[in-house]
Amino acid sequence: MTALETLGAPAGVPVAAPTTTHTYERAGVPGSGTTRVRRVPQLLLRVLAPLALIGLWQLSDTLDWVSPQVLPGPMAILDAYRELWAVGDLQAALPISLQRAGTGLLVGGTAGLVLGVVAGLSVTAERFYDAPLQMLRTIPFIALVPLFVVWFGIGETSKVALIIGASIFPVYLNTYHGIRGIDRKLLEVGRTFDMSRWETIRLVVVPLAMPGILVGWRYAAGAALLGLVAAEQINSQAGIGYILNTANQFQRTDIILAGILVYAALGLVVDVVMRTLEHVLLPWRATHDGR
Amino acid sequence: MTAADTTPATTPTTTPTTGPAEEVLSHEAVLTGEPVVRLEGLSKSYGEQVILDGIDLTVGRGEFVALLGPSGTGKTTLLRILGRLEDASSGRATIAEKTSVVFQEPRLIQAQRVWRNVVLAAGRGAGARQAAHAALAEVGLADKAQAWPKTLSGGEAQRVGLARALFREPDLLLLDEPFGALDAFTRRKAQDLVLALWQEHQPGVLLVTHDVEESLLLADRVIVLGGGHIQADIRVTTPRPRDTTSPEFNATKREVLAHLSQVSPHVSPDHPAHRDYGKIS
Amino acid sequence: MRKLIASLFATTLLAAGLSACGGDADAGSGSDGATKLTISYQDTAFPALIEASGVLDGADLDVEWVNLTGPAANLQALYSKAIDLGHMGDTSLTIEQANSKTDWTADNAPLEIVAGWRNGNDPEFSPLVTAVRTDSGITEVADAKGKKWGFNFGGYNHAQYLVSLVQGGLTEDDIEPTQFADGATSAAAFNAGEVDIYSGGHGPILGALASGDAEIILDDSQTAIPALNVWTARKDVLDDEEKDAALEEFFERMSGYWAWHDENPEEVKKILVEQLKVDDARADFEYEVRRGAFRAFDDGLLAEEQAVAQALFDGKAIPKLPEVGIGFDPRYNEVQGAISSADAQAAQ
């Protein structure tokens, strides 16, 4: 043990027998001194690469390597934001688009969750609707826009319905597989210890299927954001999809890129939210993965 | 084999093996008096394959019974029937209502903290948590109550499984090779723990094992299962703690091995290496 | 468990049901008793301009503006009764009629074009063009042999493409036809130099024309394509007396719009920039191309429309040759102050 301490093993390094410790340490685990030195350039690299890319991008614009029609430079995109902000489109777009995406995600995701849980638990339910759902899943929802106009009109309903359609399947599939992936032996535990079906679902099934369920919601959130572009083709006067569609109609490449960057930012937000959720909902996994 | 009249809810049966099973065993089990298990003509078959064939067995409260037999003789099936995880094909069974199982692998729910694994469905109040702490203290894991199962060692996890089983204060405790996956040292400690807990709580215990020495070390009765029948029912009267090197112990061991060799041709009663014959066959 | 499944399932169905109801545009009367018209336009600029012009102020009707891009969405919305008037090009209904399972007659036609408009026939602001990349070496259509020619299917862009081919004495076999899903994509491909020659809207390629990368070789007056914007109504809307009266008032008031447009170029351009996010050059162009007057559905116009249908039919863009007149209802021409093409030419 003393040998280890003098070598400066970082806390938490698993130590087995002292005899093997020395070789193990030299081979795999960097000393505490090197760790700090290494982490700095890594962080720098992380920031440096995108920065260099943006610089190169701006340079190619300034030096006219590519026409601004093909790829407008970063400054042009900043200008596009300024323009959208001045008119008020950007401020109007975010709340309305997020509300559409959020409502659709909530309804679609909940429906997918319920369908997935029921199909995961009941073979009868699975036989009843899994095949039709699998068929529906493969339909590109963008192709459904005209039909949704016929079915749901041109108001908010059709837009939200489209997003519901986009977000229902990721949650359904991942929930279903999450539950089916649970070891049957654990369900037997519930039976031998006289747990009711509901208690088994609450204490065993849902917690263990939660990682899959969260993956489903993560995908669904992405699908809901993408669904906005299709949904906001239908009679919209505001929204990120509306901005993109109008820009496409009037050849504003800079605004299209600006809109895409908004999507990227939203995707990042979704990722952060889901990571936080995972930390809150899956503490038992966090310990396992060592954060 | 004849119909008993103690439990009218169950159905009497006679046919041991021939023909498809018609009578489905009822689990409307009520503990009547001292026995925690009473099996009468219990049979189980999967299609044509007969696993258990007319088993008669009574286990009393406070009795420690070990069940030995080669792989595929229906030891685990019998345990699963007693644990209400499977239905028998015919016969009748009266089983204590409060029955707990400790499985071969710990079967802890990774998504629940240790104390919650102990409590399971038995209540959500503050009392449940305290009771869980007490049960964990009994298996020496009081400090692990808040831990996640993934952080436990194999022996610790199995002890949590034991705490979970004892938490319900069972009249019948079913142990399905619970020490199989443990190293020799941990295994020995776990055996001592089980023995101590059994003496403390006095449930009827049915231990399924491959290990003859283990069965003789722990049990009051060793039952040898073979060909779907009970081949031998041997009483072990040596007072505990038992000395595995004593002549008395080894005499009983030879007797058990002799019975085993009849149901499993690969086992020789004289070969010392055949202590754990299950892995050879 | 069964009960649980049943209740979960019921919840799901309920959620689906909730999202299914509501939403349809209310085709009835407005709150104050005025008749409500739900009118679509393919961008948000025209509604904003009409509002700014004030021509509808004090009208005894409520107009709800709807923004639907592309003819398909407009037709779907019409059929599903979500809107009363759909905005499209004058060829869309010809194509719709040609693709209809049942032959349209004056009695059973489900849709009717009730208004058509465009600017004067000034070649500089021709809405529809055939243009070439200057580096392609093409100076007239006949040179397009073996070249990549971009267009989008259906509509008058397609007609412009087909008529251009005929005028150059070419067939589709002589060139490399490059079909796109919509006009914007087709124009984007031309602007990027991916195709050598292009038939479609003038506005989307303005930049390439200004930079000298492209030039127009045929405008719509040369191909004799009317290239009107039209509003199409469903037959049952026209048969509804209240709606009919409301439409009459709407068009009568709209006839006053064009003068306001001509008199307020700065305000119009400002709105165009705001709504469409176009630059000043494009706004100047859009200002011009969005001027005009309603056009009368007279014999001259219908003959031109029939010729477009013929070109589409000959070019195999439509499966049968429709009688286009069935899809035009001139009942509002008078209140619209609609002028004939000849008069429009003369006014130029």
Side-chain angles (χ1 to χ4, degrees), chain A residues 53-131:
Chain A
L53 218 69
I54 291 172
L56 199 72
W57 181 10
Q58 180 59 51
L59 202 70
S60 75
D61 184 58
T62 317
L63 299 178
D64 260 348
W65 289 345
V66 283
S67 128
Q69 262 305 310
V70 177
L71 184 68
M75 293 312 285
I77 286 167
L78 270 182
D79 280 341
Y81 281 125
R82 214 167 293 148
E83 184 183 338
L84 291 172
W85 187 268
V87 185
D89 276 10
L90 202 59
Q91 302 93 305
L94 281 175
I96 200 157
S97 283
L98 288 180
Q99 195 192 333
R100 282 171 184 150
T103 313
L105 176 65
L106 206 69
V107 177
T110 308
L113 183 69
V114 170
L115 288 170
V117 167
V118 174
L121 295 174
S122 153
V123 180
T124 318
E126 184 212 333
R127 285 200 191 121
F128 181 54
Y129 60 69
D130 184 61

Side-chain angles (χ1 to χ4, degrees), chain A residues 102-199:
Chain A
T103 313
L105 176 65
L106 206 69
V107 177
T110 308
L113 183 69
V114 170
L115 288 170
V117 167
V118 174
L121 295 174
S122 153
V123 180
T124 318
E126 184 212 333
R127 285 200 191 121
F128 181 54
Y129 60 69
D130 184 61
L133 280 180
Q134 296 289 353
M135 268 151 55
L136 286 177
R137 179 177 72 92
T138 54
I139 298 173
F141 57 88
I142 290 173
L144 290 178
V145 171
L147 275 182
F148 271 54
V149 169
V150 178
W151 293 341
F152 303 109
I154 51 173
E156 283 301 305
T157 317
S158 55
K159 297 180 194 66
V160 174
L162 204 70
I163 295 169
I164 289 174
S167 49
I168 195 165
F169 298 110
V171 179
Y172 168 73
L173 282 177
N174 284 287
T175 304
Y176 168 72
H177 286 297
I179 290 175
R180 282 295 155 104
I182 295 173
D183 193 345
R184 310 300 295 174
K185 288 175 176 173
L186 288 170
L187 300 178
E188 282 187 357
V189 170
R191 278 172 66 193
T192 47
F193 288 94
D194 288 334
M195 285 164 78
S196 69
R197 187 82 194 195
W198 174 241
E199 284 165 336

Side-chain angles (χ1 to χ4, degrees), chain B residues 2-261:
Chain B
T2 47
D5 37 359
T6 44
T7 47
T10 51
T11 26
T13 184
T14 44
T15 44
T17 45
T18 49
E22 283 159 6
E23 319 284 347
V24 174
L25 191 92
S26 163
H27 277 312
E28 305 279 321
V30 186
L31 180 64
T32 52
E34 274 303 289
V36 289
V37 172
R38 184 184 293 145
L39 305 179
E40 288 161 282
L42 190 92
S43 298
K44 173 75 180 178
S45 48
Y46 297 104
E48 292 293 294
Q49 199 190 354
V50 179
I51 306 292
L52 298 172
D53 186 6
I55 301 281
D56 294 318
L57 175 68
T58 304
V59 178
R61 193 168 215 295
E63 195 176 14
F64 201 128
V65 178
L67 196 57
L68 283 169
S71 296
T73 45
K75 297 189 305 289
T76 296
T77 305
L78 183 58
L79 184 127
R80 289 175 63 83
I81 289 170
L82 294 177
R84 286 163 242 228
L85 292 170
E86 257 172 74
D87 286 328
S89 307
S90 65
R92 55 187 288 169
T94 313
I95 305 160
E97 241 172 46
K98 276 161 85 180
T99 298
S100 292
V101 186
V102 178
F103 298 95
Q104 208 164 344
E105 60 293 318
R107 298 199 187 182
L108 300 182
I109 299 149
Q110 304 291 342
Q112 303 287 2
R113 291 184 191 275
V114 163
W115 75 269
R116 264 226 165 272
N117 266 285
V118 172
V119 172
L120 281 182
R124 312 164 70 172
R129 189 192 280 238
Q130 264 182 349
H133 271 272
L136 285 166
E138 278 201 84
V139 298
L141 288 175
D143 57 326
K144 296 283 186 185
Q146 291 298 326
W148 295 107
K150 276 202 172 160
T151 61
L152 301 179
S153 71
E156 285 172 338
Q158 200 54 282
R159 272 147 70 197
V160 173
L162 203 55
R164 176 173 68 185
L166 289 169
F167 180 80
R168 297 156 45 97
E169 290 172 0
D171 295 313
L172 174 63
L173 177 62
L174 301 170
L175 306 171
D176 186 8
E177 297 184 49
F179 316 118
L182 304 180
D183 62 86
F185 178 71
T186 316
R187 182 180 190 144
R188 196 55 205 255
K189 285 182 69 173
Q191 287 167 347
D192 289 345
L193 179 63
V194 164
L195 212 52
L197 291 169
W198 164 68
Q199 279 161 345
E200 163 89 20
H201 298 278
Q202 290 291 308
V205 175
L206 192 83
L207 167 73
V208 166
T209 180
H210 273 126
D211 187 335
V212 177
E213 195 159 294
E214 178 175 277
S215 70
L216 292 174
L217 199 62
L218 301 176
D220 300 317
R221 272 165 79 194
V222 174
I223 289 172
V224 177
L225 208 60
H229 302 283
I230 289 177
Q231 296 290 341
D233 190 340
I234 300 151
R235 291 217 164 260
V236 187
T237 48
T238 333
R240 299 183 180 89
R242 290 169 182 161
D243 178 4
T244 54
T245 55
S246 71
E248 202 183 351
F249 188 93
N250 280 292
T252 324
K253 184 173 163 185
R254 263 195 300 279
E255 187 192 346
V256 171
L257 284 169
H259 283 292
L260 278 168
S261 68

